[in-house]
Amino acid sequence: MTIQESTTARPAGRPRSEKAEKAIIEATLDLIAEGMGVSELSIEAIASRAGVGKTTIYRRWSNKEDLVVDALATLRAPLPPLLQESVRDDLIVLLEVIRKEAGESRGRCVMNIAMSEADRYPRLMERFMKRAVEPRKLAMRGTLERGVASGELRPDLDVDLAMAMLSGTMMHHTKWAPAGDLPADLPERIVDAVIAGIGPQS
């Protein structure tokens, strides 16, 4: 084989690697969505569903917990950039992420099943929370603290309580609202209702 043949042949393997990784992640999520809890999930079952060998999985993940953490994390979209011009607008952006995810029926099902085993797999859930949830909490906290500093929100604001009011109200709708997509204006309505109470007092 010539040097030119060698260098042009290498990239061809990369798409196959990415394809296998995606297949493994999707197989993991599919099996959980079908009702297989984390305790029942096995590398063998995932490999069979993904159409790969177990060694292909173990080359990427050292154990089932690592794989499940990565699979669950794919259900959480990256946060969009915040303009940091208006606290109200940035809070709406943060809640809109949750609203869109609520429309993903498979994602909701997977998270419900996985979270039901949080007591049995505390380390797994701790790692998932740190990777996928903490960045969102930090973004919301930073937005609220910026609002206090700028005078857009009341100076004596209980930031933790405000975070619970905003995210908790949205989560209530994702769990208990009638079936179907949540209203497009829901994040805006929630933010406006909460700001009416935590905004600067006239």
Side-chain angles (χ1 to χ4, degrees), residues 1 23 34 59 63 69 72 75 86 96 99 102 123 172 179 188:
M1 180 182 291
E34 292 168 9
R59 277 199 297 267
N63 54 58
V69 169
L72 294 180
L75 299 175
S86 161
E96 174 63 11
R99 186 191 75 84
R123 175 60 179 160
H172 168 82
E188 183 177 359

Side-chain angles (χ1 to χ4, degrees), residues 162-201:
M163 290 174 62
M165 292 166 65
L166 289 161
S167 58
T169 303
M170 176 58 78
M171 294 306 296
H172 168 82
H173 282 276
T174 65
K175 288 184 176 295
W176 305 113
D181 292 340
L182 295 175
D185 66 342
L186 181 60
E188 183 177 359
R189 288 192 284 120
I190 292 174
V191 170
D192 285 343
V194 173
I195 285 182
I198 66 176
Q201 301 300 298

Side-chain angles (χ1 to χ4, degrees), residues 87-88 144 146-157 192 194-202:
V87 167
R88 175 183 179 272
L144 292 170
R146 178 164 49 85
V148 172
S150 68
E152 294 174 78
L153 303 176
R154 57 192 301 170
D156 61 344
L157 176 65
D192 285 343
V194 173
I195 285 182
I198 66 176
Q201 301 300 298
S202 57

Side-chain angles (χ1 to χ4, degrees), residues 41-119:
L41 197 62
S42 68
I43 295 296
E44 290 80 1
I46 295 169
S48 176
R49 175 63 67 93
V52 301
K54 290 192 296 182
T55 55
T56 301
I57 296 178
Y58 283 120
R59 277 199 297 267
R60 293 162 173 79
W61 295 276
S62 59
N63 54 58
K64 179 177 72 173
E65 180 178 297
D66 290 344
L67 171 52
V68 172
V69 169
D70 281 353
L72 294 180
T74 66
L75 299 175
R76 293 292 182 256
L79 285 177
L82 301 178
L83 297 179
Q84 298 190 7
E85 295 175 355
S86 161
V87 167
R88 175 183 179 272
D89 290 348
D90 285 350
L91 290 174
I92 290 172
V93 168
L94 292 172
L95 292 192
E96 174 63 11
V97 172
I98 301 175
R99 186 191 75 84
K100 286 184 176 179
E101 288 175 350
E104 301 284 340
S105 58
R106 184 184 73 157
R108 289 201 314 272
C109 178
V110 169
M111 290 308 304
N112 287 338
I113 293 172
M115 289 303 176
S116 70
E117 295 189 272
D119 291 341

